Every structure is written in C-alpha cells, then in structure tokens.
Amino acid sequence: MADLTTRIGSLTLRNPFIGASGCFGYGLEYAGAVDLASLGGVAVKGLFLEERQGHPPPRIVETPAGMLNAIGLQGIGVRRFVAEKLPELRRLGATTIVNICGSTLDEYCEVARILSDHEGVGAIELNISCPNIKEGGIQFGCSLHGTFDVVSGVRKVTTLPVIPKLTPNVTDVASFARASEEAGADAVSLVNTFLAMAIDVETRTPKLSNVMGGLSGPAIRPIAVRMVWECFQAVKLPIIGMGGIATAEDAIEFLIAGAAAVQVGTANFVDPFIWSKLTSGLDDYMQRHHIARVADLVGSLNIPAKAHA
Amino acid sequence: MADLTTRIGSLTLRNPFIGASGCFGYGLEYAGAVDLASLGGVAVKGLFLEERQGHPPPRIVETPAGMLNAIGLQGIGVRRFVAEKLPELRRLGATTIVNICGSTLDEYCEVARILSDHEGVGAIELNISCPNIKEGGIQFGCSLHGTFDVVSGVRKVTTLPVIPKLTPNVTDVASFARASEEAGADAVSLVNTFLAMAIDVETRTPKLSNVMGGLSGPAIRPIAVRMVWECFQAVKLPIIGMGGIATAEDAIEFLIAGAAAVQVGTANFVDPFIWSKLTSGLDDYMQRHHIARVADLVGSLNIPAKAHA
Amino acid sequence: MLLDVAAEVTANTQLSPDYNVIALSAPDIARVAQPGQFVMIRTQPGLDPLLRRPFSIFERLRDASGSFTGVSLLNKRVGVGTSLLFSARQGDRVGVLGPLGRAFVPVDPPAEAWMVAGGVGLAPFVTLAEALVERGTPMRLFYGARSAADLYYADWFERLGAALHLTTEDGSRGDRGRVTLPLLHALETTPAQQHVALYACGPTPMMRAVAGAAEHHGRSVAVSLEPVMGCGMGGCYSCVVPVRRGAGRQFVRACLEGPIFDGQAIVWDALGGH
Amino acid sequence: MLLDVAAEVTANTQLSPDYNVIALSAPDIARVAQPGQFVMIRTQPGLDPLLRRPFSIFERLRDASGSFTGVSLLNKRVGVGTSLLFSARQGDRVGVLGPLGRAFVPVDPPAEAWMVAGGVGLAPFVTLAEALVERGTPMRLFYGARSAADLYYADWFERLGAALHLTTEDGSRGDRGRVTLPLLHALETTPAQQHVALYACGPTPMMRAVAGAAEHHGRSVAVSLEPVMGCGMGGCYSCVVPVRRGAGRQFVRACLEGPIFDGQAIVWDALGGH
Ligand SMILES: Cc1cc2nc3c(=O)[nH]c(=O)nc-3n(C[C@H](O)[C@H](O)[C@H](O)COP(=O)(O)OP(=O)(O)OC[C@H]3O[C@@H](n4cnc5c(N)ncnc54)[C@H](O)[C@@H]3O)c2cc1C
Ligand SMILES: Cc1cc2nc3c(=O)[nH]c(=O)nc-3n(C[C@H](O)[C@H](O)[C@H](O)COP(=O)(O)OP(=O)(O)OC[C@H]3O[C@@H](n4cnc5c(N)ncnc54)[C@H](O)[C@@H]3O)c2cc1C
Ligand SMILES: Cc1cc2nc3c(=O)[nH]c(=O)nc-3n(C[C@H](O)[C@H](O)[C@H](O)COP(=O)(O)O)c2cc1C
Ligand SMILES: Cc1cc2nc3c(=O)[nH]c(=O)nc-3n(C[C@H](O)[C@H](O)[C@H](O)COP(=O)(O)O)c2cc1C
Ligand code: FES
Ligand code: FES
C-alpha cells in the first residue's frame, strides 16, 4: 500500500479523496455507504448563517455527460449544523471541511467565527463561486478585490485553514488564485460549476426553475484540469481540484496537473460506493509507477519539447 | 413545409444550419455527402494570409461527450482558397462564410480585402477566439478593445457582412457582443471552443502535442446556450449560435435562446448526413407548434414568474 | 442496509408498446426491501445516460423453494433511460442501488386498505398488497388506465383477494373515466366508523385529487411521489417536496423523508416538476 | 459513393481474448469497397463514445449465390470502442460510414506482391489478396504475431495461393522474432530484375522498418497508416501525416490522401501519435 496521505496547509488528509460540497449532503447521509473516516475529507453543503429554503424544483437537469443544478443553497444554517451534525461527524472520525456562504463579508466572517468556536471543523471552504444565487458570493468570486476581501476578512477571524473555492466562469482563474494567496488563503479549491442553462423546446421555458444553473460532471473535466494546471503554475498554495472526476484515473489526472487533493461530486451520485475504488485505483497506480508519496505525483506533468512544431 | 429561411444582416440563409468552421473542411470535402446548396451556409476552415502547417499530431482527443482539438489552423491561405476552392463552392451554390484569422490587425484587414475582391463570399467570420495558437487572434478576442479594433478595422475594408466569432473563455461574453455591435459588426457568432486539456496518466504528458486544446461537442452545449441567451439580451445583432448541437432539438434550443442561425461542428464528424435530419426536424417542430417563420422562434424563450420562489 | 448490485436481466416481458416488466437478479435487495421502497437504476455502463433513474420495486421475486432471487420493475418508456430498460435483453447488466426511501405502513384489520393506482402508479402496490395479505387486511384496488390492455396485473390483485374498482379512459374495461370516480363513490358509501387507510400512486393531479377527497372524508392517505432524483440518497437536494411545517412550509427530500408522504402534508400548489 | 448504414451485427467470432471478427450487414458498402479502404464505425448509439472509430474493411462478405451481404472487421480490443465491438451481440446495430480513403493499387504479373502484416495489420490484406488473385499476381504474406494462436487467417491466405513467411515472438509458429527478418532475407535473395511491390500494415515501427528495408533494396512499398481520425472525411485535419513535398514536408490528411501512402514519402521521424 502506497502512502496516500496528502497535506492541505496544516491539515493532513488520509487520502486525496474528498466528498464535494453539495454532493455529499452533510456527510452523514452517506455513512451507510462509506466509512466517513476512510475518506480524505467531507465537504459539507454550503452553509449560511441562517436556514435557507433554496429554489423550487425542478432543481437539476441531466445534460450530456453532466448535469445542471440550481439548488439555491438550501441548508440548515451554521448554528443548527454545529449543534446537529458536527458532533456526529466527529464521532464518525470524518475530516470535515465546511463550505460557507455569505450575502455580505460580515456574514462570511460571522459563520467562520461560529465554526472556529467548535471542535471538529477541519477547514473552511469559502464558497464565493455559487452561480445559482445572486447573494451567493459570486459577486465576490468574480472580482479580484472581492475575492481578496473575503479571504483576508475570514483569515482574520479564524485559525482554521481557509480555502476559497474559485469559479471557472472567469477569463483568468489563475489571477484569482493569486489574489487568494496574497490574502492569506491556505489553499484554493476549484472548480465550482459552470454557469449554464437548458431549455424545454416543447414549452419554450427553462428546464430549471432558476433559469440558469451550474454544470458539473465529466463533461467539464478537461476545462477543470486546464484551470488546475494554470493555478498550479501561478501559486505555491496547495490546490484541491475537482470537476468531473469519476474514476481513479480522472483523479490522477488532476493530481498530475497540480492538485494535492480532489473532490468528487456528481460521480458520487451515480456511485456512492466509488470511494474504495478511487483509493485502490490510486494505490495500484502509485505502486505500478513506483511513486512513494502523493506529493511526488502532484504537478508532475512533463511537457515534451515540441519536436516537430 | 415551414419557411426555414433566416437573415444574418444582409445575408439570407436557406435555413439556419451552417457547417461550423474547422469542422467542414473547405466545404467541398462534404459535397459527396450533402448538397452544399441545401445548407444554410458553409463556414470554411480558418484562413490566414499565408499557408500554415498547423500543430503536429496528436491534434484531437475524445473526452466525455466532447473532444479537444489543437489543429493549429493548418490551412492553404486565403490566396489559394480564392483560387482553388471558392469557384467550386460558388458552382455548387454554397453560401460561403469565410472564417479568417490574423496575427495582426493588418493581416485581418488584408485577408478581408482579398476576399472582398472575389465573387462568392457570403460573409466574413472573424476568428478572434481560437484558443490553440498564440497568434490566433485570441489576444484580440479576450480584450474588449482588441475586439473593437479588429471588428471596426475589418468593417472599414469590406462591405461583406462581418461576423466576429466570440470566445467563451471570458467572464462576460455579452460585453464582447456589445463591443462588436459598437464596432459595426453585422452579427456575432458564438461559441468557439473552451480552453481545456487532457493528460495521459501513464506517461504523465499532455494528450495533445499543443498541451492545451479547445473543447467542443455536446458536453459544452448548456454553457453555450446560456451565453447565446446572455448575448441575445445584450445586443440587437443577429446571433449565430453553436456548441454541441447534435439534433434538431438541440438547434431549436439555440434558436429559442436567441440564435438566428446555428453552426454544427463536432456532430458533423459523427454524422455527415445530419443536415437533412436537422432541417426536417426543425420543419416538423415548426409545423407542430404552428410557427410560420424561424424569426418567430428566435429568442422566444419565456421565463415564468417564480411562483413559489 | 444499502446495496449496489450489478444485476443481470433475467427476463424482460413487454406488456405493451411502452410498458414492460424487467426482472433483475438481486436477491439481497429483494430480501430486505419494504413495501413501496425504491431503487436507483443505472440503465447502462458509461456516461450516457449519466445519472441513475429511480424506480419502485415492483415484485420481490422468489424461486420454487420460496427464497428470493431478485426484484422486478414495472417500467414505462418515457425517455432515454426507460427506453434502455424497455429494450434491455436477457444477460444485460444494470446497476441496482437500494433499497431506498421510506416504506408504506400497512394497516392492520379491521381497518381496510384502499390502494389507488393510476397507470404505472401501480408499481409500489404489489409489495404493499403482499404485506397486507400477511396481516389479513381487507384490500381494495382502485386502478385506472388508458384502456383494458393497460390494466396490468389487475387479475393478480384479484387472486390475492383485493376488491377491484377498475376504470379506463376509453371504457374498454371497468367504468369509463377517472379512477377518482369509483373512489369518491366508495368514500361516500362507506360508514365513517369503518377505518380506512388510503394509499395512492400515479400522476400528480390524480394523487392531489385523491388527497383532497380523502381529506374531505376525514381519511388519511399515503401518497408515493415521483420528483426528479439526482442521487436517491440525500446528497443533492434535487428531489425536494414542499410540506407543511407549522404555519409555513418546507422543502424536504423525497428520497429520505419520502417517496411516501402523508397526502395532507403536501403543499400541492408548490409541488412543481413531475 | 459514400454510405452510412445502420448495420446489423450478423456474427461475432471471438478469435482470442482480444481479437474478434465482426460481420456487419452492409451489402452496398461491400459492393463498392476497394482493397485497403476503411470505414468509420459508430460502435453504439448515444454520446459515449462520441466519435466514430476507423477500421479497415477486412472481408467483403457474400452469400451462397455470390452476391454481397456485408463486410467484416478484424477488431483488436484496445479501448472503449473496440471493447464494445468485441462484445457486440448478434442483432446489435452499429453505424458504418464508408467506404473511405485511397485504396491499394494491386500490381499485375509478372510483378510479385509481398504483403507484410503485423498483428491486426493483417486487416487490409484480405481484400488486397482477392484483387491480386483476380490478376494472377504471385503473392507472399510476411505475417508476424505474438504466438501461433494469433496468426489468424494465415491458412486462408495459403489456400489463396500466397507463400507464407510467418513469425511469432515466442517461436510457437514460423520463425521466432520479428516479421522483418524473413522479409530482409527475401529482399536480399530476390534478383533485382524481379519486380516486387511491397504492401505493409502494422505497428508504426514495423512499417518504418519495412519502408527502410524496401528503400535500401530499391523497392517501393505502400504502407497503411493508422493515425487518430476524428471524421474520416477531410473535415477536421486531425489525421495528418508528414510527407515529403519537394525540399520540405507537409501535413496531409490520411483519411483523404491515405490511409495508403508511399512508404518512402513519409517523414517517419515526424510521424507522432500511434
Ligand atoms: C420514487 C420513484 C419511483 C418511481 N417508480 C417508477 C416505476 O416503478 N416505473 C416507472 O416507469 N417509473 C417510475 N418512476 C419514474 C421514473 O423514475 C422516470 O420515468 C425515469 O426517471 C425517466 O427517465 P428517462 O431517462 O426515461 O426520462 P428522461 O426524460 O430522459 O429523464 C431525464 C431526467 O429526468 C428525470 N425524470 C424524467 N421523468 C421523471 C419522472 N416521471 N419521475 C422522476 N424523474 C423523472 C430522470 O430521472 C432523469 O434524471 C419513479 C420515480 C420516482 C421518483
Ligand atoms: C485507417 C485505419 C484503419 C484501422 N483498421 C483497424 C482494424 O482493421 N482493426 C483494428 O482493430 N483497428 C484498426 N484501426 C485502429 C482503430 O481505429 C483503433 O484501435 C480504435 O480507434 C481504438 O478505439 P478505442 O475506442 O477502442 O480506443 P480508445 O483509446 O478508447 O480511443 C480513443 C481515441 O483514440 C483513437 N485511437 C486509439 N487508438 C487508435 C489507433 N491505433 N489508431 C487510430 N486511432 C486510435 C480512437 O479512434 C478514439 O478517437 C485502424 C485505424 C485507422 C486509422
Ligand atoms: C447538486 C450540486 C450541489 C452543489 N452545491 C454546492 C455547494 O453548496 N457549495 C459549493 O461550493 N459547491 C457546490 N457544488 C459544486 C460541487 O462542489 C463541485 O464543485 C462541482 O459539482 C464539480 O465537481 P463534480 O463535477 O465532481 O460534481 C454543487 C454541485 C452539485 C452538482
Ligand atoms: C477540429 C476543430 C477545428 C476547428 N477549427 C476552427 C476554426 O478554424 N475556426 C473557428 O472559428 N472555429 C473552429 N472550431 C470551432 C468550431 O467552429 C465550433 O465553434 C466549436 O467546435 C463548437 O461547435 P461544436 O460543438 O458543434 O463543434 C473548430 C472546432 C473543431 C472541433
Ligand atoms: S435525490 Fe438527491 S437528495 Fe434526494
Ligand atoms: S479524420 Fe478528419 S480530416 Fe482526416
């Protein structure tokens, strides 16, 4: 068995595989399918300060090799989370990454503060990239200043690792990674979903009640891998990569592109038993290629000189 | 039979279906599969002033519901095109849209001038969005000023319809449609491919010789539809929509989102006989829904008031 | 106990141009399945289609010796996934994840159990009927379809001892019209002191009508809803249904708190989707 | 004449754990196919896999009365598309687009035709051999594989009158080692005035070696290359092969100007991909 541990700032993960935020409930929903302690981490559904109803259905629609979602960040709010979910996650030995949202900078900070006061939070993932709600922080995530402000603001109020989650809906994602680094982030995670839409041609109405939604799944993987590679070249921060990972080979592609860990979302819907396949697949690969540690794989892409260009 | 004609500025197309640039050779390659005169138009492979070798293979790689390409704009150059290809395209009754590239603003203008001097060019599509070559105009396509300059520059040297082709690799594609409109474009076409990459995990090298390539095919359709809808709300210009169209229903989705015509690229590789299926599918749909003219379908998306939001 | 089985298709019986019953070898799922529970089906390997599709467990299959061999699905062809299941061949493999969701609560005698099924909505009632028979609970099946040819398994229910109230849109069998007609009649002619538990599955308008009629007559009704489901496990929040909570209402996940709901608790006006 | 046929799989003969011959009912394509031409195969409906896969036409199938019934492919399982073809079942349908590409030019007697095949590279030679037999051209088949079990159809060529020069990596049949060994020997022992046309298909290193040997002995060789092909029709420029043009070289589309090329014209150093 190769050494699958990987480090995200001060946090050491058992392996690089993390349940993606919004695709893994609060983690506990999957305790019957997988031992949460066997995962690298569990990124819980995005949390605001207060409870949220989210958008009316239909909230998802399948698209070629992907899906659109516009859940609208339905959630129980951070206070109920720390009271009702966090203790159980601790008991089960999960490494919990809490994905947080805010309508204002203050809300991000307040949510972060509350989380910092409780045992069992491994890291805070700043959702500044949800494409589905106006006040979902996307106005922060699409502006370099906004990104800098949220990250540095939250940085001040917590000692937990702070991981801004970047949107792919920008011209130059690497610049947002840089802004995050300058603002004191411990890592960056990418990508969130691509803003997209689907139309019912019979009714000529949008298929989602929210009109637009976020595209996820294997369809987006080649774009996400490119963005991870761009960020890897731009910053020293550890990167949590995601976007369409459905097999160990897909995950390895992200590691080679520069991700120190990966999140798996949509594929977990299709196969909630995917996690053991991912770890054993990575282990096999590393042994076959005589790679001792995940760190030796991270960013190991080599680009041949263009022989006949 | 419904009236399938549609207008792109001064140009009237027999139907909304155009062979996408770079996916249809110089059109003539497909004369054996489809009567070119039965198409709405033929957008030929991107042309520089001079011949180009393009990138070494491998130039494409299949991805989930899509493909990456980094052809590198191999081409015969505009002079050989007007001499060797254009006359035959005319003879076959094709409505020819010439996709042009330039390393400099002057080159775009020179290519446009040469085309304007020849009979049989229906419109000029400005490729300012090829992600695969540094000098492929992407530096124009990713900057609002660059876009404005190329469009207004070419506008001055030709009376042919000028159609800048927009890149999706930007934060706000609608602003590029606006810049094109202000610069005097007759229409805009979108989307070009999404910058992406794929890695061979066994060799840990990129699967494309060019490292990165452009993602096309059904995978990107929901993002492309969203961008067409955004542009439709932003400008009065006719829009040529594309990105992952593989069925008549897909094409209708673009028309409803605001496209006056569509291009089909990757799907033509899979089914070179797709064109009659597209036209008959659209005709059936329009008759079933009692839609007399394509114009009545364009941008007809209706967004229900959020009942229970 | 959650299972994911790469089940072999052991039989595919086409009942009509768009209905079929597909038998899947998944004994372990059959063993633990409760009435009205569902499974998430991966109709084909690969990425097209990508997501699983939810299906009620139709029958729990047994061999001659009575031990479980698998489950069957009553499938109606409406799109890509159900078309693949419709044309599946013996020996094909489909992924079966389950059993999932809350089960029906079968009533005990002297209460009567009335099942109201519209079209493919019959699916969850075979397992329920078997549970009711064990308890000796008197059963009625109100069952509506397009025409006689679409009233599948009616005779099976009759053999089990259920009183049948059949309707067809074309009147080719039973009463002509909606299944709610005989139901309303029965509700009106049944003395209030006779305890009756209603169970309904079918098109949303039908279930809504049944819930309304039941409420009017002071009867409870358990409805089996069919929202779009991305995961079936509580992970995605796609399957939410609006239910009354105190004064207001709340979106709850049908895959966890349903698909069986108290019909009176549903805010039908806000129930979008399917 | 280009055709796209939704062909039924009429037979699938598995020759080994990774080789099979799949028969497709596409009479019209069989009728017009020339030696060494290829087809683009859509292995399955839907979007996974998305692109067609190129395959040499292996056999042109005839019924008892001698009229064409379809084509067969010699398939080697290497990835998703070829795996689907490997496990395809009778009655399945696959899309067959073709025939495509330039054909072999069969030589006439007294010239001899030498075919050099490595593994699945045998595929284009059945149709070539039939054309050569019609002309009465003397044939030799140099054919290398992993082991005896992988030397498919060798006896078929022998019955057709071809002189066999077989090699296997494990020596289980014919000479042990590379197929280029007997070829080199034959080239050396054949008098220069005997006109010989070489045809080669197989792994790129093999074809390159054959081209080198042929050049060394002043013989021409037609190679059948296997670049990745996105469309097979000249639309995408993905399949380019570097060929000498005057002083320099040029990327030409293998689907239009190939897949058969003059081995001497290829710039082997610049031939990437497969
Ligand atoms: C708990 C539950 C039990 C069900 N039991 C049965 C059953 O026993 N027999 C049966 O034939 N059908 C049943 N359905 C409906 C069945 O899931 C859909 O018909 C099926 O998902 C359609 O998939 P498709 O690919 O053919 O259609 P498509 O339109 O191609 O599917 C596109 C997307 O919409 C979803 N979708 C489309 N129609 C429905 C629908 N009516 N309900 C939920 N999701 C839908 C699909 O799951 C998929 O995600 C059940 C649904 C639920 C929620
Ligand atoms: C003109 C021509 C004739 C051929 N004839 C035969 C034949 O008779 N029998 C046979 O078994 N194979 C033949 N091949 C090779 C065959 O096309 C590939 O093995 C096949 O495309 C692999 O597809 P896959 O999905 O199994 O592999 P994957 O690796 O999953 O395919 C991924 C992509 O790479 C391409 N690709 C992968 N390997 C090759 C390859 N060796 N050559 C070209 N493209 C490749 C695929 O087409 C696809 O686009 C031929 C190729 C060409 C160009
Ligand atoms: C249904 C759904 C809900 C999601 N909710 C959130 C969320 O609350 N917060 C967040 O940061 N990302 C959310 N995401 C994005 C995922 O975490 C992930 O970034 C994206 O889906 C790409 O990964 P994938 O292709 O593996 O799904 C959601 C994605 C889906 C599909
Ligand atoms: C192989 C290939 C080559 C392309 N070459 C060009 C080109 O030369 N000029 C251009 O503007 N777009 C080019 N494109 C982009 C297409 O015209 C189209 O914008 C894109 O593929 C999306 O459409 P699709 O999903 O239908 O293929 C190319 C696309 C592919 C797949
Ligand atoms: S289907 Fe995903 S939460 Fe219910
Ligand atoms: S395969 Fe597309 S040009 Fe040759």
Side-chain angles (χ1 to χ4, degrees):
Chain A
M1 176 97 187
D3 175 5
L4 300 188
T5 61
T6 186
R7 290 182 60 84
I8 301 297
S10 59
L11 195 64
T12 299
L13 308 181
R14 288 170 195 73
N15 60 56
F17 303 110
I18 302 167
S21 178
C23 305
F24 213 66
Y26 294 110
L28 305 174
E29 291 87 343
Y30 285 88
V34 54
D35 168 13
L36 298 183
S38 72
L39 300 180
V42 171
V44 299
K45 176 74 184 161
L47 289 166
F48 283 84
L49 195 53
E50 308 299 338
E51 294 193 32
R52 280 180 63 94
Q53 276 283 42
H55 296 313
R59 289 177 166 188
I60 64 166
V61 49
E62 182 165 331
T63 64
M67 64 181 282
L68 305 185
N69 89 83
I71 306 302
L73 289 165
Q74 173 171 357
I76 60 177
V78 68
R79 294 197 188 80
R80 278 186 58 198
F81 171 77
V82 293
E84 299 170 20
K85 307 293 181 185
L86 193 54
E88 181 67 2
L89 285 163
R90 277 189 74 188
R91 200 183 61 71
L92 293 173
T95 300
T96 303
I97 298 171
V98 183
N99 182 270
I100 73 171
C101 316
S103 318
T104 64
L105 177 51
D106 291 348
E107 184 172 8
Y108 278 101
C109 294
E110 181 55 22
V111 174
R113 248 188 241 102
I114 293 169
L115 289 169
S116 309
D117 295 343
H118 290 79
E119 286 300 314
V121 178
I124 292 175
E125 184 175 53
L126 298 177
N127 181 2
I128 52 174
S129 43
C130 177
N132 299 331
I133 59 176
K134 274 140 252 57
E135 70 285 17
I138 191 69
Q139 78 274 32
F140 296 109
C142 279
S143 126
L144 288 170
H145 290 99
T147 299
F148 183 92
D149 294 345
V150 179
V151 174
S152 49
V154 171
R155 170 77 295 162
K156 290 192 192 71
V157 303
T158 184
T159 58
L160 291 168
V162 175
I163 309 170
K165 183 165 179 179
L166 307 181
T167 176
N169 300 302
V170 293
T171 308
D172 178 19
V173 69
S175 62
F176 288 81
R178 260 185 245 100
S180 303
E181 186 167 48
E182 290 157 12
D186 299 279
V188 291
S189 64
L190 66 148
V191 297
N192 208 318
T193 54
F194 290 77
L195 189 60
M197 71 190 282
I199 296 169
D200 181 325
V201 301
E202 294 305 318
T203 61
R204 290 197 256 170
T205 56
K207 285 185 175 177
L208 294 171
S209 73
N210 188 54
V211 182
M212 292 187 189
L215 178 63
S216 65
I220 67 172
R221 196 176 65 239
I223 315 178
V225 170
R226 182 262 298 180
M227 291 182 167
V228 167
W229 173 239
E230 287 176 338
C231 290
F232 178 74
Q233 293 166 291
V235 297
K236 297 201 174 31
L237 293 181
I239 296 166
I240 301 176
M242 75 199 81
I245 295 172
T247 67
E249 185 179 329
D250 299 341
I252 293 163
E253 203 180 349
F254 277 84
L255 297 176
I256 294 170
V262 296
Q263 292 185 20
V264 177
T266 302
N268 175 66
F269 297 155
V270 180
D271 180 9
F273 293 96
I274 193 174
W275 305 99
S276 59
K277 299 165 194 166
L278 293 172
T279 40
S280 65
L282 175 59
D283 183 40
D284 295 349
Y285 174 88
M286 286 173 67
Q287 296 195 32
R288 192 153 41 81
H289 289 269
H290 309 296
I291 298 166
R293 297 155 45 249
V294 168
D296 302 337
L297 195 53
V298 174
S300 62
L301 178 68
N302 60 67
I303 294 177
K306 269 200 201 175
H308 3 276
Chain B
M1 177 95 187
D3 175 5
L4 299 188
T5 61
T6 186
R7 291 182 60 83
I8 301 296
S10 60
L11 194 64
T12 299
L13 308 181
R14 287 170 197 75
N15 60 56
F17 303 110
I18 303 167
S21 177
C23 305
F24 213 65
Y26 295 110
L28 305 174
E29 292 87 343
Y30 285 88
V34 54
D35 168 11
L36 298 183
S38 72
L39 300 181
V42 171
V44 298
K45 176 75 185 162
L47 290 167
F48 283 84
L49 195 54
E50 308 300 338
E51 296 194 31
R52 281 180 62 95
Q53 277 283 41
H55 297 312
R59 289 176 166 188
I60 64 166
V61 48
E62 182 165 332
T63 64
M67 63 181 283
L68 305 185
N69 88 83
I71 306 302
L73 289 166
Q74 174 171 356
I76 60 176
V78 67
R79 294 197 187 80
R80 280 188 56 199
F81 171 77
V82 294
E84 300 171 20
K85 308 291 181 186
L86 193 54
E88 182 66 3
L89 286 163
R90 277 188 74 189
R91 202 184 59 71
L92 294 172
T95 300
T96 303
I97 299 171
V98 183
N99 183 269
I100 72 170
C101 317
S103 318
T104 63
L105 177 51
D106 291 351
E107 184 173 8
Y108 278 102
C109 294
E110 181 57 21
V111 174
R113 249 189 240 99
I114 293 170
L115 290 169
S116 310
D117 295 344
H118 291 77
E119 286 300 315
V121 177
I124 292 175
E125 185 175 52
L126 297 177
N127 181 2
I128 51 173
S129 44
C130 177
N132 299 332
I133 59 176
K134 274 141 253 55
E135 70 285 17
I138 191 69
Q139 78 275 31
F140 296 110
C142 279
S143 124
L144 289 169
H145 290 99
T147 299
F148 183 92
D149 294 346
V150 178
V151 174
S152 51
V154 171
R155 169 76 296 161
K156 289 193 192 68
V157 303
T158 184
T159 57
L160 292 168
V162 174
I163 309 170
K165 183 165 179 178
L166 307 181
T167 176
N169 301 302
V170 293
T171 309
D172 178 20
V173 69
S175 60
F176 288 81
R178 262 185 242 101
S180 303
E181 187 167 48
E182 289 157 13
D186 298 278
V188 292
S189 65
L190 67 149
V191 297
N192 207 318
T193 54
F194 290 76
L195 188 60
M197 72 188 283
I199 296 169
D200 181 325
V201 300
E202 294 306 317
T203 61
R204 289 197 256 170
T205 56
K207 285 186 175 177
L208 294 171
S209 74
N210 188 55
V211 182
M212 292 187 189
L215 178 63
S216 65
I220 68 172
R221 196 175 69 239
I223 315 179
V225 169
R226 181 262 298 180
M227 291 181 167
V228 166
W229 173 240
E230 287 176 338
C231 290
F232 178 75
Q233 294 166 289
V235 297
K236 297 203 174 31
L237 293 180
I239 296 166
I240 301 176
M242 75 199 81
I245 295 172
T247 67
E249 185 178 327
D250 300 341
I252 293 163
E253 203 180 348
F254 277 84
L255 297 177
I256 294 170
V262 297
Q263 292 186 21
V264 178
T266 302
N268 175 65
F269 298 154
V270 179
D271 181 8
F273 293 96
I274 193 173
W275 305 99
S276 59
K277 299 165 194 166
L278 293 172
T279 39
S280 65
L282 175 59
D283 183 41
D284 295 349
Y285 174 89
M286 287 172 67
Q287 295 197 31
R288 191 151 44 80
H289 289 269
H290 311 293
I291 299 166
R293 296 154 47 247
V294 168
D296 302 336
L297 195 53
V298 174
S300 62
L301 177 69
N302 59 67
I303 294 179
K306 270 202 201 173
H308 6 274
Chain C
M1 217 271 279
L2 179 72
L3 296 161
D4 182 18
V5 181
E8 191 181 329
V9 174
T10 52
N12 182 359
T13 314
Q14 302 197 342
L15 307 172
S16 77
D18 57 352
Y19 278 78
N20 67 307
V21 173
I22 185 165
L24 304 168
S25 93
D28 299 342
I29 290 178
R31 201 167 294 114
V32 293
Q34 299 298 314
Q37 283 192 298
F38 70 99
V39 288
M40 293 292 286
I41 297 293
R42 192 169 186 181
T43 51
Q44 176 171 274
L47 301 176
D48 185 10
L50 180 68
L51 299 173
R52 289 174 183 257
R53 307 303 198 225
F55 288 85
S56 300
I57 293 169
F58 182 47
E59 301 158 299
R60 301 163 69 199
L61 305 170
R62 292 185 176 78
D63 61 17
S65 72
S67 51
F68 288 107
T69 58
V71 297
S72 75
L73 312 175
L74 177 62
N75 176 63
K76 181 182 183 184
R77 186 155 57 92
V78 301
V80 44
T82 49
S83 296
L84 284 165
L85 288 180
F86 185 80
S87 51
R89 296 203 263 158
Q90 257 195 30
D92 289 350
R93 291 201 171 267
V94 300
V96 185
L97 178 71
L100 296 162
R102 296 237 177 117
F104 281 122
V105 180
V107 284
D108 295 306
E112 283 185 18
W114 294 6
M115 296 171 277
V116 190
V120 74
L122 183 74
F125 290 135
V126 166
T127 52
L128 176 60
E130 286 175 333
L132 291 165
V133 165
E134 281 177 16
R135 292 170 165 68
T137 308
M139 298 183 283
R140 297 197 196 184
L141 176 67
F142 300 81
Y143 183 14
R146 290 168 302 196
S147 70
D150 298 311
L151 285 170
Y152 319 111
Y153 283 71
D155 311 347
W156 180 92
F157 279 89
E158 193 161 35
R159 280 198 299 280
L160 219 65
L164 299 188
H165 304 262
L166 307 179
T167 65
T168 52
E169 289 167 19
D170 62 4
S172 52
R173 186 174 174 189
D175 305 348
R176 176 193 228 93
R178 298 272 173 76
V179 68
T180 38
L181 289 175
L183 175 66
L184 286 171
H185 179 76
L187 284 167
E188 261 142 37
T189 54
T190 303
Q193 63 274 23
Q194 168 62 54
H195 181 209
V196 174
L198 279 80
Y199 305 88
C201 185
T204 303
M206 182 209 94
M207 289 192 280
R208 181 179 190 163
V210 172
E215 187 164 26
H216 179 75
H217 290 83
R219 309 290 193 182
S220 74
V221 56
V223 295
S224 180
L225 301 181
E226 293 194 0
V228 173
M229 290 186 172
C231 71
M233 295 200 42
C236 72
Y237 282 83
S238 66
C239 60
V240 293
V241 168
V243 298
R244 299 183 208 300
R245 286 286 155 98
R249 66 149 193 268
Q250 199 179 347
F251 283 129
V252 305
R253 290 167 290 182
C255 63
L256 291 185
E257 303 195 25
I260 315 294
F261 288 93
D262 167 6
Q264 322 302 10
I266 304 295
V267 185
W268 293 97
D269 289 323
L271 182 69
H274 292 274
Chain D
M1 217 274 277
L2 180 73
L3 296 162
D4 182 17
V5 182
E8 192 181 327
V9 174
T10 52
N12 182 359
T13 314
Q14 302 197 342
L15 306 172
S16 76
D18 57 352
Y19 278 78
N20 66 308
V21 173
I22 185 164
L24 305 169
S25 99
D28 299 342
I29 290 179
R31 200 169 293 112
V32 293
Q34 299 299 312
Q37 282 192 298
F38 70 99
V39 287
M40 293 293 286
I41 297 293
R42 192 169 187 181
T43 50
Q44 174 171 277
L47 301 175
D48 185 10
L50 180 68
L51 299 173
R52 290 175 182 256
R53 308 301 198 229
F55 288 86
S56 300
I57 293 169
F58 183 47
E59 302 159 298
R60 300 163 68 198
L61 305 171
R62 292 183 174 80
D63 62 17
S65 72
S67 52
F68 288 108
T69 57
V71 298
S72 75
L73 313 176
L74 176 62
N75 176 62
K76 180 182 181 184
R77 184 154 59 92
V78 301
V80 42
T82 49
S83 296
L84 285 165
L85 287 181
F86 185 80
S87 50
R89 296 202 262 159
Q90 256 196 33
D92 288 351
R93 292 198 171 268
V94 300
V96 185
L97 177 72
L100 296 161
R102 296 238 176 116
F104 281 122
V105 180
V107 284
D108 296 307
E112 283 185 18
W114 295 6
M115 297 171 276
V116 190
V120 74
L122 182 74
F125 290 135
V126 166
T127 52
L128 175 60
E130 286 175 334
L132 291 164
V133 165
E134 281 178 16
R135 291 169 166 69
T137 308
M139 299 182 284
R140 296 195 197 185
L141 175 67
F142 300 81
Y143 183 14
R146 290 169 301 196
S147 70
D150 299 311
L151 285 169
Y152 318 112
Y153 283 71
D155 312 346
W156 181 91
F157 280 88
E158 193 161 36
R159 279 197 302 278
L160 218 66
L164 299 187
H165 304 262
L166 307 179
T167 64
T168 50
E169 289 168 20
D170 63 3
S172 52
R173 186 173 175 192
D175 305 346
R176 173 191 232 93
R178 297 273 173 76
V179 67
T180 39
L181 289 174
L183 176 65
L184 287 170
H185 179 77
L187 283 167
E188 263 143 38
T189 54
T190 304
Q193 62 275 24
Q194 168 62 57
H195 180 205
V196 174
L198 280 79
Y199 305 88
C201 186
T204 302
M206 182 209 93
M207 289 192 281
R208 181 178 189 164
V210 172
E215 187 164 26
H216 179 75
H217 290 84
R219 309 291 192 181
S220 75
V221 57
V223 295
S224 179
L225 301 182
E226 293 193 0
V228 173
M229 290 185 172
C231 70
M233 295 197 46
C236 72
Y237 282 82
S238 67
C239 60
V240 294
V241 168
V243 298
R244 300 184 207 299
R245 286 285 155 95
R249 64 150 195 267
Q250 200 179 348
F251 282 129
V252 305
R253 289 168 289 182
C255 63
L256 291 184
E257 303 195 25
I260 315 293
F261 288 94
D262 168 5
Q264 322 300 11
I266 303 296
V267 184
W268 294 97
D269 291 323
L271 183 68
H274 293 276

